[in-house]
Amino acid sequence: MSDLPISVRLNPETGIPEQYDNHIQRSLSDLKGQFQNEVEYYRMMAEEDRLLYEVYELSRPHVSGELLTGVSVIHSGLIGDEFVMTKGHFHEVLETAECYYCLQGQGAMVLENPEGDCVVEPMQEGSIVYIPPRWAHRAVNTSLKDKFVFLFVYPAHSGHDYGTIESRGFRKLVLYKDGEAVIVENPGWSAQGSE
Ligand code: PAN
Ligand code: ZN
């Protein structure tokens, strides 16, 4: 890997980088246990393990001083009354921040910290969400027809802690109700392995 500066163009139609090193694809099976309507989850799984989101990443060494950047594309749709969303995670090095910049579509960032604060920030084309150190984050596509596409930048030594969210979820859910996105308390939260 060279240490020369890197310049990459994002495709103006799709927002996807014209060059990238890693292409991560996450499907329904990768989010097992994360959607509240399990009956609907398994019904959909029996039909197809459909692709939920993709990450196009530029590779850099995972060391302090470097940044990891790339573009995530969250597809649209519902699992029960929950929108397609990312797994979500804390950074393993908790004291690391991140910045998301929305390129296309509309969505919501669900954010919470270990102290129990939880906020949901709406995003649309042109929005930036700055995620301070300590805040877990999940991206939700609140459109039923368009992709939600955003650029991310975070310190390359951050690492990802998926386990905490996998076992207890986020405190808030973003649901589709009466034609719009609504934020509700997650009724399953306290039962999901909070220590
Ligand atoms: C992003 C996310 C990406 C996919 O690059 O990793 O959008 O979401 P999950 O990692 O939760 O599956 C980021 O926040 N990196 O730290
Ligand atoms: Zn992150």
Side-chain angles (χ1 to χ4, degrees):
M1 191 178 301
S2 99
D3 265 329
L4 294 172
I6 305 166
S7 168
V8 174
R9 188 165 177 268
L10 305 183
N11 181 296
E13 298 292 318
T14 63
I16 296 169
E18 287 179 346
Q19 289 96 39
Y20 51 85
D21 300 303
N22 305 321
H23 180 204
I24 300 155
Q25 294 181 289
R26 292 223 162 106
S27 307
L28 261 184
S29 56
D30 294 305
L31 274 82
K32 186 165 176 264
Q34 292 304 299
F35 294 103
Q36 58 164 6
N37 188 336
E38 297 235 305
V39 173
E40 186 56 16
Y41 175 84
Y42 284 109
R43 190 197 64 74
M44 291 176 72
M45 273 294 290
E47 265 178 19
E48 185 196 358
D49 184 13
R50 62 165 286 211
L51 180 64
L52 299 183
Y53 61 98
E54 303 176 69
V55 182
Y56 300 86
E57 202 179 56
L58 306 183
S59 178
R60 294 297 305 166
H62 291 189
V63 298
S64 170
E66 294 275 357
L67 296 171
L68 290 183
T69 191
V71 169
S72 295
V73 177
I74 320 297
H75 294 277
S76 61
L78 291 173
I79 294 85
D81 55 3
E82 250 174 307
F83 293 103
V84 173
M85 63 190 187
T86 59
K87 282 164 75 88
H89 55 266
F90 284 92
H91 287 169
E92 204 172 347
V93 179
L94 200 55
E95 304 296 337
T96 52
E98 183 154 357
C99 197
Y100 279 23
Y101 171 62
C102 179
L103 299 163
Q104 283 182 19
Q106 61 175 57
M109 292 294 303
V110 183
L111 303 142
E112 73 179 51
N113 65 15
E115 289 67 48
D117 304 306
C118 187
V119 296
V120 179
E121 291 293 336
M123 290 192 88
Q124 59 186 11
E125 193 176 319
S127 306
I128 290 175
V129 168
Y130 175 73
I131 305 160
R134 307 182 68 75
W135 287 74
H137 38 285
R138 162 177 283 164
V140 181
N141 184 351
T142 54
S143 166
L144 294 184
K145 58 178 182 18
D146 298 321
K147 296 181 172 81
F148 173 38
V149 185
F150 57 85
L151 180 132
F152 57 82
V153 187
Y154 64 102
H157 69 295
S158 301
H160 294 105
D161 160 19
Y162 289 104
T164 306
I165 296 300
E166 269 167 14
S167 64
R168 73 182 188 198
F170 278 82
R171 287 171 166 82
K172 291 193 194 292
L173 303 175
V174 184
L175 304 182
Y176 181 66
K177 274 222 163 78
D178 303 325
E180 59 178 5
V182 295
I183 299 156
V184 300
E185 296 297 319
N186 178 1
W189 185 82
S190 56
Q192 288 177 347
S194 163
E195 46 322 326

